[in-house]
Amino acid sequence: MLDFVHYLNDCKFILVSNREPYEHMRGAHGIEIKQPPGGLVSALDPTMRHTHGTWVAWGSGSADRDVSDEAGRVQVPPEDPQYTIHRVWLDDADIEGYYHGFSNRALWPLCHMLIQHFEFRTEYWERYRAVNLRFAHAVADEAERCTGRSMAWIQDYHFALASEFLRAMRPSLFIHQFWHIPFPPPDILRLLPTGTHESLLRGMLGNDLAEFQIDRYAENFMDCVEQFIPEARVDPVRQMITFRDRVIHVGAFAISIDVERYEAMARMPETVDRVRTLRERYARDGRQLGVCVDRIDYTKGIPERLRALDTLWDESPELRGRFTFIFVATPSRSNVPAYNTLEREVVETTIAVNKKYGSRDWTPIVLINENVDADLLAAVYRAGDLCIVSSLQDGMNLVAKEFVACQVDERGVLMLSRFTGSAEEIEGACLINPFNVDGFVSAIRTSLDMSPDERRRRMRRMRRQLHNSTIFDWLDSILARATAIMSQQHATV
Ligand code: ADQ
């Protein structure tokens, strides 16, 4: 699983992300360590342990300063230190402007092409620049500490400007960046004020390699550069851009999950018990159980999904009592007003649908309004006859892959929005357009009617594919590509 680590031999690996892999928190019994959930940390933490590199991130824990040195550095994992976290300190105004502001209120909606949520403020942009510069200084400081070669790998849209800053500080540093969300076409990017979208693209051209989830986002990026940066030369066929006498490579690398971990969780005896309980409660005697798991976010198509379910039970009364839906939903970004409104809407619509169709012994939508542990998620995924992912836009969507990994009984149908990166990768899902309510409803009916043989055939195909495309394959292909480019650069110097 860790054979990609050899790419990083003799090279200091510096990873940059907004969130840190370990947070030190003040708790009732002193300082406690929290590791945020999520696939990225679980895939990258072992890589960092093996490479003894440095992870540069926002020091967000309440006790982070107490355990870090003057430069913001601390060794982790706490029980057996293997690598360094270099914490960047942000004050309230930074968090408001850089994180909630430009990252989440401007770039997030813009990249997802949901422009009714797009909000630009000069203050957001200035904070975003300032924080990107601070992160670039932290990375340069880390590169300075080692005598040999270094590679900086920047994660996501929080740092569109960091590479250019860093390039000015350390011209020979190898820098690459993975963009986890969609990249918009030129007509959308230009909704940023004049000068801002050009600065953003120039920032990203500080990379040696710019990585996206799928080809379409990589193509959008190249189209934007072609249109807005006249001095850049774009070669879309070879996926290369020449800018200020440097070559920037562009590529698509679909992120995935730790498939074996999810599969193992789905097979645990406790999970088997939970699945049995869930199915006895919701899916006995030929009834069916639909599931979905989401952060409550306007990109995920949640109102569209609830509307489709409402229409389904309205038009097909025979399905009342025969089809139940479990919706695991975590509130997120609650201090952005649009998210608050959506959270309220989800709860209110669920109550209204349940009132309309429910009975004394049947609740149509079971809303679990919290963040649940991965092993409980595995049980929900395994218990499902149907999983609905209805994003309006989504860079990849890992829920779809987690469902497939946990479907060890090969019983479930994956209904997947065609506007997710996953839909361009996974073959065997039932594709939907969440904007088309009638098509959506008829796809739910088709999925519920699908024969067990057809379900098995499709699920087997998806599971085979997923096993050949895990998060470790993703890591391996990115690092292989990055180190190949790096060696090429050294050979031509
Ligand atoms: P997200 O928008 O967060 O990620 P997604 O890929 O679906 O979207 O990942 C969500 C993760 O959170 C999954 O691992 C899921 O299990 C977990 N999760 C969601 N709701 C939960 C709940 N109620 N309880 C517990 N866990 C929950 C961004 C991009 C995506 C891209 C990823 C990775 O928007 O398009 O796939 O990054 O690159």
Side-chain angles (χ1 to χ4, degrees):
M1 150 178 137
L2 289 169
D3 51 343
F4 43 79
V5 168
H6 72 264
Y7 294 122
L8 300 169
N9 278 347
D10 311 322
C11 171
K12 175 161 174 174
F13 188 47
I14 307 167
L15 186 76
V16 185
S17 71
N18 176 58
R19 289 276 173 204
E20 55 182 344
Y22 296 90
E23 265 181 336
H24 289 84
M25 303 296 286
R26 277 192 212 108
H29 308 288
I31 293 177
E32 292 162 10
I33 312 282
K34 243 181 63 190
Q35 196 166 21
L40 199 64
V41 167
S42 44
L44 293 176
D45 181 61
T47 315
M48 296 305 287
R49 290 179 195 222
H50 279 74
T51 57
H52 309 298
T54 299
W55 192 319
V56 177
W58 163 30
S60 52
S62 53
D64 276 358
R65 283 179 195 264
D66 305 346
V67 298
S68 309
D69 69 13
E70 272 177 11
R73 303 174 99 231
V74 61
Q75 299 295 309
V76 289
E79 67 290 354
D80 173 26
Q82 300 279 350
Y83 68 93
T84 307
I85 301 182
H86 182 137
R87 286 168 167 154
V88 176
W89 308 118
L90 303 182
D91 63 22
D92 289 349
D94 292 329
I95 297 165
E96 183 51 30
Y98 140 81
Y99 182 65
H100 299 304
F102 192 72
S103 297
N104 288 344
R105 293 188 192 181
L107 267 186
W108 176 266
L110 207 63
C111 287
H112 288 89
M113 299 195 276
L114 297 170
I115 57 176
Q116 67 276 31
H117 297 289
F118 170 57
E119 190 188 329
F120 179 87
R121 303 294 300 268
T122 308
E123 166 70 9
Y124 297 167
W125 172 243
E126 281 167 1
R127 286 284 168 177
Y128 183 84
R129 275 182 62 88
V131 170
N132 270 243
L133 184 60
R134 225 175 301 157
F135 269 79
H137 275 297
V139 178
D141 172 47
E142 288 301 327
E144 201 82 28
R145 287 170 189 264
C146 95
T147 46
R149 297 184 302 163
S150 302
M151 172 194 281
W153 189 25
I154 299 172
Q155 302 295 316
D156 230 353
Y157 64 101
H158 309 94
F159 302 113
L161 306 177
S163 308
E164 187 188 19
F165 291 140
L166 195 49
R167 176 70 56 208
M169 295 172 200
R170 305 276 308 183
S172 61
L173 179 69
F174 189 89
I175 313 170
H176 58 132
Q177 179 162 25
F178 187 81
W179 196 264
H180 288 254
I181 62 176
F183 199 89
D187 274 353
I188 298 287
L189 194 72
R190 66 194 281 270
L191 300 184
L192 283 167
T194 308
T196 311
H197 53 278
E198 292 89 341
S199 298
L200 191 125
L201 292 168
R202 286 203 180 90
M204 292 177 72
L205 291 173
N207 287 296
D208 293 288
L209 170 63
E211 299 135 359
F212 299 90
Q213 302 270 22
I214 56 172
D215 278 327
R216 194 155 40 79
Y217 309 151
E219 283 156 16
N220 284 346
F221 173 68
M222 289 186 285
D223 286 349
C224 287
V225 171
E226 176 130 62
Q227 196 154 328
F228 301 126
I229 311 291
E231 68 271 36
R233 272 205 329 277
V234 179
D235 180 343
V237 177
R238 295 168 68 206
Q239 297 198 305
M240 280 158 73
I241 300 170
T242 312
F243 178 64
R244 294 181 184 154
D245 297 328
R246 292 177 38 249
V247 173
I248 297 95
H249 298 259
V250 180
F253 304 86
I255 201 169
S256 187
I257 57 166
D258 183 346
V259 178
E260 284 178 13
R261 177 169 163 257
Y262 273 92
E263 218 175 82
M265 283 192 296
R267 291 189 198 277
M268 285 187 323
E270 303 88 295
T271 309
V272 174
D273 287 345
R274 278 173 161 162
V275 171
R276 192 177 308 118
T277 310
L278 283 168
R279 290 202 62 83
E280 267 165 19
R281 187 143 171 210
Y282 300 113
R284 61 179 191 281
D285 306 329
R287 292 174 171 86
Q288 296 202 54
L289 176 64
V291 299
C292 72
V293 175
D294 275 311
R295 269 189 318 104
I296 299 187
D297 191 298
Y298 52 74
T299 60
K300 303 291 181 188
I302 299 169
E304 288 73 9
R305 189 184 315 152
L306 293 174
R307 189 178 55 182
L309 290 170
D310 184 352
T311 312
L312 177 81
W313 284 307
D314 181 41
E315 291 177 353
S316 304
E318 72 283 5
L319 287 175
R320 297 181 199 163
R322 309 278 320 155
F323 172 55
T324 305
F325 201 80
I326 295 187
F327 182 7
V328 185
T330 330
S332 79
R333 303 181 191 171
S334 300
N335 42 357
V336 177
Y339 286 73
N340 249 311
T341 313
L342 182 61
E343 271 164 39
R344 266 201 314 277
E345 186 185 341
V346 168
V347 173
E348 282 164 13
T349 312
T350 304
I351 292 172
V353 169
N354 285 347
K355 203 165 154 206
K356 204 155 141 195
Y357 307 109
S359 60
R360 217 160 45 87
D361 49 7
W362 177 63
T363 306
I365 301 174
V366 179
L367 180 62
I368 304 176
N369 203 222
E370 60 192 60
N371 203 37
V372 305
D373 289 342
D375 49 356
L376 177 53
L377 278 191
V380 170
Y381 288 137
R382 182 170 172 179
D385 296 288
L386 186 72
C387 174
I388 304 183
V389 172
S390 53
S391 312
L392 306 181
Q393 286 293 327
D394 214 331
M396 181 52 54
N397 192 283
L398 297 181
V399 168
K401 296 190 177 187
E402 292 166 3
F403 175 70
V404 171
C406 293
Q407 274 286 315
V408 290
D409 310 304
E410 299 170 339
R411 168 182 41 224
V413 180
L414 172 63
M415 292 184 60
L416 182 58
S417 160
R418 55 176 76 253
F419 309 120
T420 58
S422 306
E424 304 205 6
E425 208 202 346
I426 298 177
E427 288 165 29
C430 171
L431 295 186
I432 51 169
N433 176 343
F435 297 99
N436 170 6
V437 65
D438 298 319
F440 194 160
V441 172
S442 113
I444 302 179
R445 270 195 215 103
T446 309
S447 301
L448 290 173
D449 289 343
M450 198 181 281
S451 72
D453 278 354
E454 177 67 6
R455 289 169 182 232
R456 194 171 311 112
R457 196 183 61 74
R458 285 171 176 254
M459 187 49 77
R460 241 179 228 171
R461 186 168 178 202
M462 293 190 276
R463 290 175 57 74
R464 244 194 328 267
Q465 233 182 347
L466 191 61
H467 273 281
N468 291 326
S469 169
T470 69
I471 188 147
F472 304 108
D473 296 304
W474 171 76
L475 207 46
D476 188 273
S477 56
I478 288 184
L479 293 181
R481 181 79 190 279
T483 46
I485 298 170
M486 203 171 169
S487 319
Q488 222 175 39
Q489 288 177 348
H490 278 264
T492 51
V493 166

